Amino acid sequence: VSPMHGVADELLRSGDEGVIVRSEDPREWASEITELLANPERRRQMGGQARCRALAGVSMDVVVGRYASFFRDIVRRRA
């Protein structure tokens, strides 16, 4: 369960990998948390999906590849 602040919408697909609460209303937060506490299977599914997405997007190979691409672009622009 995450607030809509920062990069939450980039890191999570709400409903699939977690829950993004778009309100600051404590009742909405309590409702989302209570629903997840009552549904362990949904928590497991969300956790598994979030883990897969995280590994695909932030594995060492992916991060190194992104940095390499970034620096190649810089070198090309200066050449």
Side-chain angles (χ1 to χ4, degrees), residues 1 19 21 28-38 43:
V1 179
V19 177
V21 179
E28 187 175 340
W29 278 83
S31 174
E32 294 292 351
I33 292 168
T34 301
E35 184 178 325
L36 286 173
L37 286 172
R43 292 193 315 264

Side-chain angles (χ1 to χ4, degrees), residues 42-54:
R42 183 169 181 226
R43 292 193 315 264
R44 275 191 286 279
Q45 288 176 342
M46 284 181 164
Q49 290 178 9
R51 183 177 191 280
C52 287
R53 184 169 184 209

